[in-house]
């Protein structure tokens, strides 16, 4: 076979496969967007597979091709919310220990996410309150990821049970004030970001070196 013809056939096959893969990825993303919307607005038990398929404009059979059950669909939604929160709040630091400005930038991005995606944030934060161990695992891993970011800011503190408890308490504090803020907006975003950073520094100061 002519080399050019062989190359054309090969490239055509690769292109077709790439398009097929893109279609699958795009469809899955669309379904996850729908999951975040549905489960972010209503409880798990209120939503049926029939409704999900109808809202997605696909058959239940095709929905099951992507997610084998409603539970799997819900778990994927919580995981998507976690990934998007972590990605949108990542701040590149110039040194090993983040500066106050870098800490504040991370907090600001966090609050921006909460403000733009309040229901998805609520889904994530409260998704671990139920009995589903897989969902709790996602929520716990997300909190641990943020804990490690805060730990980086507290790099000069010793690794001890006291420090660990303090940092975990700080993560809970951030979640609580973020939920209160997005509901009532008694402070500006910048004012709350400053408060959260100050609270972090204040907590660090209470730890015995």
């Amino acid at each position: 076979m002519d080399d050019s013809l062989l190359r054309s056939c090969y490239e055509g096959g690769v292109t077709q496969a790439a398009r097929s893969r893109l279609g699958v990825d795009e469809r899955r993303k669309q379904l996850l967007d729908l999951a975040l919307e549905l489960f972010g607005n209503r409880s798990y038990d209120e939503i049926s597979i029939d409704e999900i398929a109808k809202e997605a404009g696909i058959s239940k059979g095709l929905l099951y091709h992507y997610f084998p059950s409603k539970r799997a669909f819900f778990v994927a939604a919580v995981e998507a919310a976690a990934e998007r929160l972590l990605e949108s709040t990542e701040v590149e630091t110039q040194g090993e220990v983040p500066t106050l400005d870098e800490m504040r930038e991370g907090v600001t991005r966090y609050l921006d996410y909460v403000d733009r995606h309040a229901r998805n944030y609520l889904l994530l934060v409260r998704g671990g309150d139920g009995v589903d161990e897989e969902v709790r695992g996602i929520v716990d891993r997300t909190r641990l990821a943020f804990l490690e970011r805060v730990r980086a800011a507290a790099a000069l503190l010793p690794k001890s049970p006291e420090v660990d408890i303090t940092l975990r308490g700080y993560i809970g504090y951030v979640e609580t004030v973020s939920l209160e803020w997005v509901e009532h907006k008694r402070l500006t975003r910048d004012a709350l970001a400053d408060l959260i950073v100050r609270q972090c520094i204040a907590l660090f100061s209470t730890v015995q070196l």
Side-chain angles (χ1 to χ4, degrees):
M1 179 181 293
D2 181 85
D3 286 347
S4 62
L5 180 59
L6 180 62
R7 186 163 54 256
S8 176
C9 291
Y10 171 76
E11 290 175 351
V14 171
T15 301
Q16 183 62 37
R19 287 174 179 169
S20 178
R21 181 70 246 175
L22 180 61
V24 170
D25 290 344
E26 183 61 28
R27 169 64 77 177
R28 192 174 193 279
K29 180 182 180 302
Q30 291 172 352
L31 289 172
L32 286 175
D33 288 342
L34 174 63
L36 289 169
E37 179 182 350
L38 290 176
F39 291 119
N41 284 281
R42 294 156 58 196
S43 70
Y44 178 85
D45 292 333
E46 290 178 338
I47 303 168
S48 68
I49 283 290
D50 288 325
E51 181 181 359
I52 294 169
K54 181 179 179 181
E55 289 289 337
I58 61 176
S59 66
K60 286 197 296 183
L62 182 56
L63 179 62
Y64 283 131
H65 172 73
Y66 289 94
F67 304 99
S69 66
K70 187 176 80 167
R71 174 188 171 278
F73 194 48
F74 176 72
V75 170
V78 175
E79 190 160 25
E83 290 174 354
R84 295 177 188 186
L85 174 60
L86 289 171
E87 289 173 2
S88 64
T89 55
E90 182 70 37
V91 175
E92 184 175 350
T93 60
Q94 297 301 310
E96 293 185 6
V97 178
T99 65
L100 285 178
D101 286 341
E102 289 167 346
M103 289 173 60
R104 191 181 185 284
E105 175 64 21
V107 173
T108 299
R109 293 186 186 186
Y110 189 96
L111 294 175
D112 281 341
Y113 180 93
V114 174
D115 197 21
R116 293 195 307 268
H117 310 286
R119 294 188 181 279
N120 292 346
Y121 180 75
L122 186 63
L123 170 67
L124 174 62
V125 171
R126 296 186 178 172
D129 293 343
V131 297
D132 193 298
E133 292 186 4
E134 192 170 1
V135 170
R136 282 206 306 270
I138 294 170
V139 175
D140 288 344
R141 287 195 300 273
T142 305
R143 286 172 174 154
L144 181 60
F146 280 113
L147 185 147
E148 291 304 320
R149 290 183 185 179
V150 178
R151 193 187 299 279
L156 298 179
L157 296 179
K159 290 186 177 181
S160 68
E162 182 182 7
V163 171
D164 190 61
I165 290 173
T166 300
L167 296 182
R168 289 181 182 277
Y170 176 69
I171 297 301
Y173 161 79
V174 173
E175 290 180 357
T176 299
V177 298
S178 296
L179 287 173
E180 197 279 339
W181 171 73
V182 80
E183 181 177 357
H184 300 292
K185 294 291 181 67
R186 295 172 181 170
L187 294 175
T188 65
R189 183 206 62 180
D190 291 343
L192 181 59
D194 287 338
L195 176 62
I196 290 174
V197 172
R198 291 201 307 271
Q199 183 66 18
C200 181
I201 296 171
L203 281 173
F204 291 168
S205 69
T206 67
V207 178
Q208 297 295 321
L209 296 176

